[in-house]
Structures are given as C-alpha cells and as structure tokens.
C-alpha cells in the first residue's frame, strides 16, 4: 500500500509552519497511522533528514498522548478511536493523507505534530483530586456504593485527557473534559466533601484557558473513550451546586 503523507512541520514553538509531502510505500492496511509515521521517519533518517516529531506511548488507546489531526479530524477518520488505533485500511491505496497537530488556540504547537496540552493539566491540578488522610488505605467496602453508581462514575472516569474534544470544538471548549472529571468525582461518596471547592476552581481554570460550550456536540463524536455528551451538563450543574452552597453559607 502506498500513501502520500502531507505532514505539518514546525521546527519550534515560534517558527513558521509548513506542509511537506512524502510518498511512503510498503505500508500494510493493518498498520496504524502512527506506524505509517514510523515508516516515514525511517525513510527520512535513511535520507539524512529530520524525523517528524510526534507523541506516542502506550499505542493501546490508554494514555491519550497520540492526539493529532488526520484529514482535518482529531485522531482520524474512524469515530471514537485514538490515532494509535486508527488503521490505514480507512484509506485507499494511493490516497493523500494530511497529518497536522491538534488544532486549538489552547494547544500551542511545540514541534511538528506535538502540542502543549498543559491547560488540561492545569484543570486537573486545580481540583480533580480527592484529599484523604495519608495512612493505611481503607478497605474498599467501608464506603458502600451501588454497582449503578460505580458504573456511572467509571463511564466518566474513562477520559484519557487526549484533548481531541477541545480540537474538535469550534469554540475550543474543554467542557466535555471538565464535565467528565466533575461528573466522575461528583458521583462518588469519597469526593463529596470537596465537591463545591472543586467545581469552583476547575471551572474557573477552564474558563480562563478554553472557549465556552455552545452544545455543538463535535467533542463526543471524536472522544476515543466515548464519554457521553451528558458530561457537558455536569459543568453548569456542579457550578450551580457550588454557588448555592456559597449563598447558603453567606446567609448563615
Ligand atoms: S499512544 Fe497511548 S492512546 Fe495512543
């Protein structure tokens, strides 16, 4: 199988970007898009040229670092699948495939296909955690939780923070990401004591760095973990709960 890869190149965060076109032969339809980039890089290195910089780690759809844009779609043509799982069988022999970094103002390009997703980390650091006393871990059954509640929490906990939702959103909103974190933690008993504070800080950090949500729904169409669009509703819901608590406290 032969493809023409049109790859975005940018030497550094401040450099101008451009596309380079490379023909890559000997590909197998079962290979992933990242495998095609590996093959291209072998070719570039053999020719004494600079390899294309891109991120990957697990290549199993777990870590979320491989996000890139394939033919204008975050991760690639197959819905709800990470780039490392996208197979070349989605293309035809002789096709041209355009590979770019995830596109969003919140994700500045660092080099070639690599972007900085620090603003997602900022949201997580601001409140997507639970404070517990250090010491022996409590037995799992000391806080009774129904299977239904656990399943609901796991649905939202599945978010791998790849950033595809932000890149797919015309507003550059991270509402699916933030909502997944809030919905996950708001569901579990252990995270209730900090729920209000968490909602306030996480939403404030997200508002400062990402665009607003206007319910386009493009985020859920590309999310490799199939986080349901219902997650976006968790953001106003948790924010209102926090405001109510604040008002209640102010009124004594
Ligand atoms: S490399 Fe880990 S999800 Fe793709």
């Amino acid at each position: 199988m032969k493809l023409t890869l049109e790859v975005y190149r940018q030497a550094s965060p401040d450099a101008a970007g451009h596309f380079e076109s490379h023909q890559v032969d000997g590909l197998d339809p079962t290979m992933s898009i990242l495998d095609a980039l590996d093959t291209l890089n072998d070719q570039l290195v053999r020719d004494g040229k600079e390899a294309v910089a891109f991120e990957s780690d697990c290549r199993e759809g777990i870590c979320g670092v491989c996000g890139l844009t394939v033919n204008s779609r975050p991760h690639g043509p197959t819905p709800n699948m990470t780039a490392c799982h996208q197979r070349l069988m989605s293309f035809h022999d002789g096709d041209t495939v355009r590979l770019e970094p995830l596109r969003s103002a919140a994700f500045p390009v660092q080099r070639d296909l690599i972007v900085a997703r620090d603003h997602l980390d900022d949201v997580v650091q601001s409140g997507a955690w639970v404070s517990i006393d250090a010491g022996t871990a409590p037995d799992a059954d000391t806080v009774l939780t129904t299977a239904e509640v656990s399943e609901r929490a796991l649905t939202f906990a599945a978010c791998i923070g790849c950033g595809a939702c932000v890149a797919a959103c015309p507003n550059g909103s991270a509402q699916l990401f933030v909502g997944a974190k809030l919905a996950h933690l708001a569901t579990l008993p252990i995270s209730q004591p900090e729920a209000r504070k968490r909602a306030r800080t996480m939403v404030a950090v997200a508002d400062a760095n990402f665009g607003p949500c206007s319910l386009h729904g493009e985020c859920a169409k590309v999310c490799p973990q199939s986080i349901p669009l219902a997650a976006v509703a968790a953001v106003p819901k948790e924010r209102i709960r926090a405001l109510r608590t604040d008002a209640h406290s102010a009124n004594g």
Side-chain angles (χ1 to χ4, degrees):
M1 182 179 191
K2 182 195 284 185
L3 293 175
T4 299
L5 300 183
E6 276 187 0
V7 188
Y8 183 82
R9 306 301 304 264
Q10 184 174 325
S12 68
D14 298 324
H18 64 279
F19 281 92
E20 275 180 10
S21 191
H22 298 279
Q23 283 208 341
V24 185
D25 210 344
L27 298 169
D28 189 279
T30 60
M31 291 167 82
S32 73
I33 286 169
L34 301 193
D35 293 335
L37 276 167
D38 287 338
T39 307
L40 169 61
N41 277 345
D42 285 346
Q43 194 172 298
L44 290 172
V45 169
R46 269 198 311 274
D47 295 344
K49 295 179 179 160
E50 193 76 34
V52 177
F54 66 97
E55 282 192 283
S56 76
D57 189 351
C58 68
R59 299 205 178 196
E60 291 183 346
I62 297 168
C63 72
V65 302
C66 62
L68 48 84
T69 305
V70 182
N71 288 347
S72 303
R73 189 180 168 89
H75 283 309
T78 306
N80 305 113
M81 189 178 280
T82 52
C84 59
H85 272 174
Q86 300 267 345
R87 300 291 149 191
L88 300 184
M89 60 184 72
S90 298
F91 309 107
H92 297 106
D93 190 28
D95 274 359
T96 296
V97 180
R98 181 170 267 226
L99 303 174
E100 306 171 62
L102 289 180
R103 295 296 193 186
S104 174
F107 297 155
V109 176
Q110 301 301 289
R111 186 180 174 93
D112 296 342
L113 305 179
I114 298 176
V115 297
R117 281 173 283 193
D118 301 22
H119 290 319
L120 295 179
D121 296 337
D122 293 341
V123 172
V124 171
Q125 284 173 8
S126 72
W129 36 263
V130 175
S131 299
I132 55 166
D133 291 333
T136 308
D139 287 341
D141 59 358
T142 51
V143 181
L144 294 179
T145 308
T146 65
E148 191 182 20
V149 167
S150 301
E151 287 297 325
R152 179 175 160 75
L154 281 172
T155 298
F156 296 113
C159 171
I160 55 175
C162 64
C165 52
V166 177
C169 176
N171 301 339
S173 170
Q175 188 114 333
L176 193 77
F177 170 80
V178 180
K181 305 294 178 202
L182 286 174
H184 158 213
L185 291 166
T187 307
L188 296 172
I190 194 171
S191 44
Q192 293 309 310
E194 290 167 308
R196 312 295 169 261
K197 182 177 161 212
R198 173 180 307 115
R200 279 195 298 272
T201 54
M202 287 180 66
V203 173
V205 172
D207 282 352
N209 295 301
F210 297 96
C213 175
S214 46
L215 281 179
H216 279 276
E218 298 302 319
C219 50
K221 290 181 192 164
V222 299
C223 173
Q225 296 301 95
S226 297
I227 301 293
L229 194 55
V232 303
V235 176
K237 185 178 168 189
E238 291 306 308
R239 178 185 249 167
I240 288 168
R241 283 175 69 190
L243 288 171
R244 276 194 183 143
T245 309
D246 291 347
H248 185 71
S249 304
N251 292 334

